[in-house]
Amino acid sequence: GSISLASNQDRQRVVLGQQQQPVTQRLQALPRLDPHAYLYADVKNTLDAPWLAGEWRLSRDGAFIGSRQQSEVAVGEQLSLAFGVDDAVKVSATMLQEEQGEQGMLNKEQTLTRRWHYQFVSGHKQAMSLTVLDVWPVARNELIKVTPLEDSPVPTRQNVDEKSGVLAWDLQLPAGGKVQLEPGYRVSYPYQRKLDGL
């Protein structure tokens, strides 16, 4: 269509088009380091043409969240957009166990055992997918072993985003309900040695 441009030097924005794309909402949390859940939207370009590169302005419930510079999005490509803290979800993290000990008779080893209790309470009226992230130690010496505790839940993914020691559990947070997770690990290392960085 046609538009009228003012004769001054002011910058003017023009809407070239509007389209709606299907979006999947999900939550992500790293409860041991941050007591918040963050809202993400996954959107896929289902059009017949790429989305042009430029500034994207993100809004949530009519409120401006922020902007990001986005490169061109090809047809069929999927993006994950962050929309900040989700105040409708309450997150708590409690350390259940932190013990140092020894094991073995002839080949004695020192051990460090840690376990946490994570809880997520939803104020949403619909169920939400929730990804819980955690960071565990990574042994860089063959004499040091890091093993999950026997009753620790098995992570859905390990080395998330190719980052060693980052684990993820994919859960379903029911509407108005809660979900809990109790992961833990044990570090075993040679007797009378000292570990740094734990």
Side-chain angles (χ1 to χ4, degrees), residues 100 109-110 141 143-144 189-196:
Q100 289 188 313
E109 288 184 317
Q110 296 179 96
N141 185 310
L143 299 177
I144 301 171
Y189 54 102
Y191 189 63
Q192 293 184 337
R193 291 281 184 93
K194 185 178 179 181
L195 285 184
D196 294 322

Side-chain angles (χ1 to χ4, degrees), residues 51-121:
W51 293 338
L52 300 179
E55 182 185 60
W56 287 36
R57 297 171 61 83
L58 305 179
S59 299
R60 176 179 168 190
D61 298 328
F64 177 66
I65 298 295
S67 61
R68 63 180 271 178
Q69 288 297 321
Q70 178 62 49
S71 57
E72 183 177 291
V73 181
V75 175
E77 187 176 346
Q78 181 164 304
L79 289 179
S80 290
L81 303 173
F83 283 85
V85 171
D86 190 335
D87 293 324
V89 179
K90 303 302 178 191
V91 179
S92 63
T94 307
M95 178 166 275
L96 295 178
Q97 183 180 10
E98 184 171 29
E99 298 175 355
Q100 289 188 313
E102 299 174 0
Q103 64 183 16
M105 294 293 290
L106 297 176
N107 297 318
K108 270 192 173 183
E109 288 184 317
Q110 296 179 96
T111 60
L112 172 63
T113 304
R114 288 177 173 159
R115 180 194 299 274
W116 291 268
H117 174 84
Y118 302 146
Q119 179 172 277
F120 308 88
V121 181

Side-chain angles (χ1 to χ4, degrees), residues 98-170:
E98 184 171 29
E99 298 175 355
Q100 289 188 313
E102 299 174 0
Q103 64 183 16
M105 294 293 290
L106 297 176
N107 297 318
K108 270 192 173 183
E109 288 184 317
Q110 296 179 96
T111 60
L112 172 63
T113 304
R114 288 177 173 159
R115 180 194 299 274
W116 291 268
H117 174 84
Y118 302 146
Q119 179 172 277
F120 308 88
V121 181
S122 175
H124 287 288
K125 294 181 180 179
Q126 74 277 355
M128 299 279 286
S129 297
L130 168 67
T131 298
V132 181
L133 299 174
D134 208 350
V135 182
W136 287 13
V138 176
R140 303 197 184 281
N141 185 310
E142 61 182 13
L143 299 177
I144 301 171
K145 298 179 179 64
V146 180
T147 54
L149 300 180
E150 289 182 4
D151 52 352
S152 181
V154 177
T156 310
R157 289 168 283 137
Q158 298 187 37
N159 300 328
V160 177
D161 294 333
E162 299 182 1
K163 295 177 182 175
S164 297
V166 179
L167 290 77
W169 292 264
D170 293 327

Side-chain angles (χ1 to χ4, degrees), residues 32-48:
R32 187 154 53 92
L33 302 180
D34 185 350
H36 298 99
Y38 290 83
L39 180 65
Y40 284 80
D42 296 328
V43 58
K44 185 177 182 180
N45 182 3
T46 59
L47 304 180
D48 296 329

